[in-house]
């Protein structure tokens, strides 16, 4: 394994949610400065004192590091549990017989992960004991303590990397000293006495809308829970970083406040073609200040909400605001449409507008916005609209709510004015948010919120005999039936599976011939994928002969719409960016194929006629949003310039205005980027090298992007791992509702 790869393994698990990572790194520095070790109570344990004069600060460092890593991975809490009758395991470390409970082993393994990764990947054990990921914590700790000097000496690390690892090792050693031969009761006592930890239960009498813990501003918040049931008795401690706890506390408090508010229902003429689940959803949204409507693709979430929008319009026209329950301004600003991403907002607006047009309702909707833009969140990260300066809209509809992290959800809910309606739409089975938390999934599981949650189950896109619908159903099952999935992939005409050779697949005969065969077969697989883009390439060829006429805006719009329709017939969706089946490699392959097909120069120029591109970041000046798809085309003017044309726009954008940081080739895209999109045929690509990224939510999201055909390019083991691995987001939002 290369040294670069090793560094990736041992780093503090850098997250793809860079904003969270940046915050954490800054927070770590600020915290250690603000909470000097002298604030911690001294400990008289002489053993611990040999490692650190203030071991209590070591406890804080250890838990803070784990919580920070957890937050980077999308979790808002760390929970440890001790079952009443659990017997601790015993083992020898440094010649001493030591007992450790399962929760203690979990904490130590979590903290030691970067060092363990090094042992697994770079250090060949000199002892008779084979050090593997499955080795017991006793073996691992014994090895760490006995071979630490050898460990640092054998590794090719920078001074910075070595310093980070030594600090991590010291934290592991300190935590081990505090945990060994103890139990949950003694650990809870240590926590309770620590000046940098705040107990949730310490201020039980605080006002429900005011967090008294915020005045103390202790960096780690904890809650001790004793569960006593008929068949078990166990204790648990849940830890939050203060900011994560604050966001969950405020979100729960605001939701409870909105739930208590009464709204006067609008008069809605319910269409006859709606089924009972849709009728229930309309009534839930109409009768409550806060409502949640969930359902899979094609279940009619947008159409259902459209009925509420129609009722809003009718109420406006009839002057129904006289009751004072809902006020409608003359500029139609009483309705806000929002989504976590610009592309999702655009799709939401288009879908709602289509539903209104189909119902012969003459209403031009306001522009749907990203939630950041709606709330006025700028570079500071703070919203312009909040509880003391709420939004003016009377109905706020948020689509793709599964993408909501806890902090953004807190900002959104806090900005809703008293008496307004908030409606969340989404698919709780799709991928969780990039930021920490799993708000939509959490809210759907909280008993208190069941009356305001309506789930749509009848899909109009996937009929009962639809292979795609059946596959999505099987993936979503709590107990995954891999046999049933393989049978579907084998026999259903809408589904297929193509075996790929993975560089990580263990082979019985690792000969050179095999390696050559693997490489050739991989390129053959990718070459076969190009066949699906031939209709698009043919249209692009035509536009090379007869270039787009910029002087005819309506013709431009129609041409791009037709090109987009053809391009959306097929799309490659990847689990990640890297590797032989990541979107970077596949897009590079397609680019070379594209240039060859059009007989264009195979040069270094990134811009070429027919290049499909995707916007990677919002650019309000150009009117572009993250996820927008466009086409680079040669124009018919005298200079034959290259411009990029986007859907629903009558003018192109010069390529020199689009840098490579905000644009990527879009023959292939990650599954995350595809959320909310639909394509006729989807090819899903991943292999064993993407193991860390795979989950059943990821595959479900990819499968449900297809309307007619799904082809999976993968290994048997990677697919089975994916559909059997639910995304686990450890959150504390539900705990906040138990107090009310």
């Amino acid at each position: 394994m290369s040294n670069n790869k090793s560094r990736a393994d041992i780093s503090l698990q850098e997250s793809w949610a860079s904003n969270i990572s940046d915050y954490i790194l800054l927070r770590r520095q600020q915290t250690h400065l603000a909470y000097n070790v002298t604030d911690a109570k001294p400990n008289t344990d002489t053993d611990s004192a040999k490692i650190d004069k203030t071991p209590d600060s070591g406890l804080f460092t250890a838990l803070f590091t784990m919580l920070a890593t957890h937050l980077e991975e999308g979790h808002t809490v760390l929970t440890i549990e001790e079952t009443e009758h659990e017997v601790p395991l015993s083992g020898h470390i440094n010649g001493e017989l030591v007992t450790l409970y399962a929760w203690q082993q979990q904490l130590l393994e979590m903290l030691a992960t970067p060092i363990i990764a090094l042992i697994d990947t770079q250090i060949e054990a000199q002892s008779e004991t084979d050090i593997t990921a499955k080795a017991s914590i006793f073996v691992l700790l014994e090895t760490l303590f006995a071979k630490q000097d050898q460990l640092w000496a054998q590794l090719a690390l920078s001074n910075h990397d070595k310093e980070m690892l030594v600090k991590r090792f010291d934290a592991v050693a300190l935590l081990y000293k505090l945990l060994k031969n103890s139990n949950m009761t003694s650990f809870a006592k240590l926590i309770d006495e620590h000046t940098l930890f705040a107990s949730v239960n310490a201020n039980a009498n605080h006002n429900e809308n005011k967090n008294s813990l915020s005045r103390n501003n202790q960096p780690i918040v904890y809650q001790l829970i004793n569960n006593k049931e008929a068949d078990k008795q166990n204790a648990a401690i849940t830890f939050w970083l203060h900011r994560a706890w604050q966001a969950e506390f405020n979100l729960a408090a605001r939701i409870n406040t909105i739930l208590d508010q009464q709204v006067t229902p609008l008069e809605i003429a319910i269409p006859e073609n709606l089924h009972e689940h849709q009728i229930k959803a309309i009534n839930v949204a109409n009768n409550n200040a806060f409502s949640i409507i969930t359902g899979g693709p094609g279940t009619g979430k947008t159409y259902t909400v459209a009925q509420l929008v129609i009722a809003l319009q009718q109420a406006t026209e009839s002057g129904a605001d006289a009751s004072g329950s809902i006020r409608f301004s003359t500029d139609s600003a009483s309705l806000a449409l929002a989504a976590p991403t610009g592309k999702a907002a655009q799709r939401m607006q288009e879908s709602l507008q289509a539903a209104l047009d189909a119902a012969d309702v003459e209403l031009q909707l306001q522009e749907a916005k990203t939630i950041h833009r709606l709330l006025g969140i700028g570079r500071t990260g703070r919203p312009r609209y909040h509880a003391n300066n709420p939004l003016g809209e009377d109905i706020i509809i948020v689509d793709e709510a599964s993408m909501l992290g806890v902090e953004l959800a807190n900002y959104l809910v806090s900005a809703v004015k008293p008496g307004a309606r908030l409606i969340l739409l989404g698919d709780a089975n799709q991928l969780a948010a990039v930021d920490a938390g799993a708000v939509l999934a959490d809210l759907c599981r909280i008993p208190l919120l069941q009356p305001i949650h309506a789930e749509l189950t009848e899909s109009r896109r996937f009929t009962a005999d639809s292979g795609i619908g059946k596959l999505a159903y099987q993936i979503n099952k709590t107990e995954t039936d891999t046999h049933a999935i393989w049978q579907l992939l084998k026999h259903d005409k809408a589904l297929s599976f193509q075996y790929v050779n993975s560089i990580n697949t263990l082979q019985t005969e690792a000969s050179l011939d095999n390696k050559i065969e693997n490489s050739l077969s991989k390129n053959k697989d990718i070459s076969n994928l190009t066949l699906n883009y031939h209709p698009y390439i043919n249209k692009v060829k035509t536009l090379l002969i007869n270039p787009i006429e910029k002087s005819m805006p309506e013709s431009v719009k129609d041409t791009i719409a037709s090109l987009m329709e053809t391009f959306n017939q097929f799309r490659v969706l990847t689990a990640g960016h890297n590797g032989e089946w990541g979107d970077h490699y596949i897009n590079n392959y397609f680019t070379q194929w594209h240039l060859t097909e059009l007989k264009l120069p195979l040069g270094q120029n990134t811009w070429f006629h027919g290049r499909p591109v995707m916007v990677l970041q919002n650019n309000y000046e150009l009117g572009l949003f993250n996820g927008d798809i466009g086409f680079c085309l040669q124009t018919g003017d005298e200079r034959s310039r290259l411009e990029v044309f986007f859907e629903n726009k009558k003018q192109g954008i010069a390529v020199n205005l689009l840098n490579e940081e905000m644009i990527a080739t879009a023959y292939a895209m990650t599954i995350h980027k595809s959320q909310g999109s639909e394509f006729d045929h989807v090819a899903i690509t991943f292999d064993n090298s993407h193991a860390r990224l795979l989950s059943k939510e990821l595959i479900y999201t990819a499968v449900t992007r297809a309307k007619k055909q799904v082809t999976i390019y993968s290994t048997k083991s990677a697919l089975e791992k994916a559909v059997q691995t639910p995304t686990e987001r450890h959150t504390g939002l539900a705990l906040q509702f138990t107090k009310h």
Side-chain angles (χ1 to χ4, degrees):
M1 183 174 290
S2 70
N3 196 48
N4 288 337
K5 178 69 176 174
S6 301
R7 288 183 183 179
D9 287 339
I10 66 170
S11 67
L12 294 176
Q13 300 185 29
E14 183 179 343
S15 173
W16 32 276
S18 58
N19 57 335
I20 291 290
S21 293
D22 292 344
Y23 157 69
I24 290 297
L25 292 172
L26 181 63
R27 180 66 169 161
R28 282 181 185 149
Q29 296 169 356
Q30 292 174 338
T31 301
H32 286 290
L33 289 172
Y35 303 98
N36 193 280
V37 294
T38 55
D39 293 338
K41 291 182 173 65
N43 192 308
T44 56
D45 187 335
T46 54
D47 257 343
S48 298
K50 291 177 183 176
I51 301 172
D52 191 321
K53 293 180 180 178
T54 53
D56 272 3
S57 71
L59 177 62
F60 165 72
T61 300
L63 282 172
F64 190 90
T65 301
M66 285 186 278
L67 281 166
T69 304
H70 245 40
L71 195 63
E72 291 166 13
E73 295 174 345
H75 313 290
T76 61
V77 299
L78 169 64
T79 298
I80 58 174
E81 290 185 271
E82 182 183 68
T83 306
E84 185 185 24
H85 301 296
E86 180 189 350
V87 178
L89 291 178
S90 298
H92 285 88
I93 301 175
N94 282 346
E96 179 187 9
L97 183 63
V98 176
T99 61
L100 291 170
Y101 286 93
W103 65 269
Q104 295 170 324
Q105 298 174 56
Q106 174 199 346
L107 289 182
L108 288 165
E109 284 181 14
M110 196 183 303
L111 194 59
T113 293
I115 311 173
I116 294 169
L118 275 179
I119 295 174
D120 291 341
T121 59
Q122 284 202 351
I123 300 294
E124 291 185 8
Q126 302 298 314
S127 67
E128 296 179 1
T129 308
D130 180 27
I131 306 298
T132 69
K134 300 296 182 184
S136 75
I137 191 66
F138 298 99
V139 173
L140 290 168
L141 289 175
E142 174 77 18
T143 304
L144 283 183
F145 293 143
K147 296 180 179 283
Q148 58 172 305
D149 293 336
Q150 179 186 345
L151 183 69
W152 312 138
Q154 286 187 250
L155 296 173
L157 297 173
S158 67
N159 289 334
H160 174 73
D161 287 340
K162 183 178 177 180
E163 185 185 350
M164 295 295 289
L165 279 174
V166 170
K167 285 183 177 178
R168 180 61 73 97
F169 174 85
D170 290 342
V172 172
L174 259 166
L175 187 63
Y176 162 69
K177 291 288 186 182
L178 292 170
L179 292 179
K180 68 175 184 177
N181 304 326
S182 66
N183 56 20
M184 182 76 79
T185 303
S186 58
F187 184 70
K189 189 171 184 292
L190 271 179
I191 297 292
D192 190 55
E193 292 176 349
H194 205 295
T195 57
L196 303 182
F197 294 72
S199 173
V200 171
N201 302 318
N203 298 285
N205 298 322
H206 58 260
N207 186 312
E208 72 174 28
N209 288 318
K210 187 175 181 180
N211 174 14
S212 58
L213 286 175
S214 63
R215 293 199 298 267
N216 303 329
N217 201 34
Q218 286 148 302
I220 295 178
V221 179
Y222 73 95
Q223 183 172 6
L224 180 62
I225 302 169
N226 288 304
N227 292 322
K228 295 184 179 180
E229 299 177 9
D231 59 339
K232 65 176 182 179
Q233 181 172 336
N234 64 319
I237 307 179
T238 298
F239 296 92
W240 292 258
L241 281 182
H242 186 276
R243 179 168 171 172
W245 184 86
Q246 188 74 61
E248 290 185 342
F249 178 94
N250 289 346
L251 178 58
R254 288 295 304 163
I255 288 175
N256 276 292
T257 300
I258 296 173
L259 287 174
D260 291 338
Q261 295 176 1
Q262 299 295 316
V263 293
T264 303
L266 299 167
E267 291 187 13
I268 296 179
I270 297 179
E272 295 180 358
N273 61 335
L274 298 188
H275 56 74
E276 59 178 326
H277 293 295
Q278 285 181 298
I279 295 170
K280 180 190 174 184
I282 291 172
N283 289 330
V284 164
N286 193 26
N287 292 302
N288 295 280
F290 178 56
S291 55
I292 304 165
I293 300 174
T294 61
T299 52
K301 297 186 293 293
T302 306
Y303 184 78
T304 302
V305 171
Q307 307 309 315
L308 198 70
V309 176
I310 293 169
L312 183 154
Q313 174 70 1
Q314 291 170 342
T316 307
E317 293 172 350
S318 64
D321 57 336
S323 64
S325 58
I326 294 185
R327 295 176 56 226
F328 301 100
S329 57
T330 55
D331 61 0
S332 300
S334 58
L335 174 66
L337 306 177
T341 67
K343 186 63 178 174
Q346 183 185 340
R347 284 191 294 264
M348 174 195 193
Q349 184 173 353
E350 291 168 357
S351 301
L352 262 177
Q353 193 66 60
L356 295 175
D357 294 344
D360 292 326
V361 175
E362 293 185 9
L363 174 63
Q364 191 63 41
L365 293 171
Q366 289 279 70
E367 179 192 7
K369 300 175 180 177
T370 64
I371 298 173
H372 281 79
R373 194 176 173 197
L374 177 70
L375 299 177
I377 300 175
R379 294 187 177 181
T380 64
R382 290 288 175 186
R384 185 188 313 136
Y385 296 100
H386 44 74
N388 297 323
N389 182 34
L391 294 164
E393 288 82 358
D394 297 291
I395 296 183
I396 301 165
I397 304 171
V398 178
D399 201 8
E400 299 292 350
S402 62
M403 298 184 188
L404 279 174
V406 66
E407 291 210 26
L408 188 58
N410 174 37
Y411 287 150
L412 172 67
V413 175
S414 297
V416 178
K417 72 177 182 181
R421 282 181 176 84
L422 174 63
I423 304 168
L424 299 185
L425 307 177
D427 185 350
N429 295 313
Q430 279 198 38
L431 287 162
V434 172
D435 294 333
V439 174
L440 186 66
D442 282 346
L443 295 178
C444 291
R445 287 193 291 263
I446 292 170
L448 178 70
L449 303 182
Q450 292 310 302
I452 56 97
H453 173 213
E455 184 178 8
L456 304 177
T457 56
E458 188 173 316
S459 176
R460 300 190 179 205
R461 187 191 303 176
F462 304 130
T463 59
D465 59 349
S466 162
I468 298 173
K470 289 178 181 176
L471 182 58
Y473 172 77
Q474 288 295 338
I475 293 169
N476 264 341
K477 287 174 67 175
T478 307
E479 296 293 328
T480 307
D481 185 347
T482 55
H483 176 73
I485 290 174
W486 285 119
Q487 288 299 306
L488 277 171
L489 291 171
K490 188 176 179 180
H491 298 293
D492 195 285
K493 61 183 181 183
L495 309 170
S496 62
F497 183 87
Q498 299 291 324
Y499 290 90
V500 304
N501 292 297
S502 170
I503 54 174
N504 285 15
T505 301
L506 295 176
Q507 299 175 345
T508 53
E509 298 178 5
S511 68
L512 183 62
D513 289 342
N514 277 342
K515 290 179 181 177
I516 293 172
E517 186 181 339
N518 290 347
S519 177
L520 290 173
S521 62
K522 178 180 74 66
N523 283 332
K524 184 182 177 183
D525 285 334
I526 297 181
S527 177
N528 288 338
L529 286 173
T530 63
L531 297 173
N532 297 284
Y533 279 124
H534 274 158
Y536 170 73
I537 282 290
N538 290 335
K539 279 203 169 184
V540 169
K541 281 181 180 176
T542 304
L543 289 171
L544 193 58
I545 301 167
N546 300 304
I548 200 164
E549 290 292 344
K550 292 170 43 181
S551 59
M552 303 171 64
E554 287 302 325
S555 173
V556 169
K557 188 177 178 181
D558 292 344
T559 300
I560 299 305
S562 174
L563 196 58
M564 183 67 74
E565 185 180 352
T566 303
F567 187 62
N568 283 344
Q569 289 173 5
F570 177 75
R571 195 63 47 84
V572 180
L573 304 182
T574 69
H577 294 302
N578 302 319
E580 295 184 327
W581 290 99
D583 66 328
H584 289 172
Y585 183 94
I586 293 174
N587 277 323
N588 286 336
Y589 184 96
F590 273 98
T591 295
Q592 298 306 309
W593 165 79
H594 179 120
L595 295 172
T596 304
E597 286 288 314
L598 268 63
K599 298 180 172 58
L600 298 173
L602 298 172
Q604 297 299 312
N605 190 5
T606 54
W607 291 105
F608 50 86
H609 176 76
R611 179 192 180 192
V613 296
M614 179 172 59
V615 178
L616 302 178
Q617 50 191 255
N618 295 339
N619 187 316
Y620 296 114
E621 291 178 4
L622 296 175
L624 300 177
F625 299 105
N626 188 354
D628 282 352
I629 300 292
F631 308 102
C632 177
L633 299 173
Q634 191 170 294
T635 58
D637 59 16
E638 65 280 0
R639 296 184 182 178
S640 296
R641 290 190 301 180
L642 290 172
E643 295 186 13
V644 183
F645 294 85
F646 292 89
E647 198 174 15
N648 297 323
K649 295 190 185 313
K650 299 176 182 179
Q651 293 182 330
I653 297 173
V655 295
N656 62 339
L657 296 176
L658 303 169
N659 62 60
E660 287 301 307
E661 290 181 358
M662 64 175 295
I663 292 289
T665 303
Y667 276 119
M669 65 171 70
T670 63
I671 297 167
H672 281 86
K673 285 289 187 185
S674 74
Q675 285 192 93
S677 299
E678 295 176 11
F679 314 102
D680 290 349
H681 180 185
V682 161
I684 308 166
T685 67
F686 56 95
D687 62 17
N688 297 0
S689 68
H690 298 116
R692 189 178 60 83
L693 303 170
L694 300 178
S695 68
K696 67 164 50 200
E697 289 81 5
L698 189 79
I699 307 303
Y700 169 82
T701 301
V703 166
T704 54
R705 297 312 91 205
K707 293 187 285 186
K708 297 178 181 178
Q709 186 77 34
V710 170
T711 308
I712 299 175
Y713 290 79
S714 181
T715 63
K716 184 174 184 289
S717 59
L719 178 60
E720 291 188 349
K721 178 186 185 302
V723 298
Q724 295 180 89
T725 308
T727 300
E728 288 191 73
R729 286 282 176 96
H730 304 295
T731 65
L733 186 58
L735 291 173
Q736 303 288 2
F737 283 89
T738 60
K739 301 176 223 172
H740 297 272

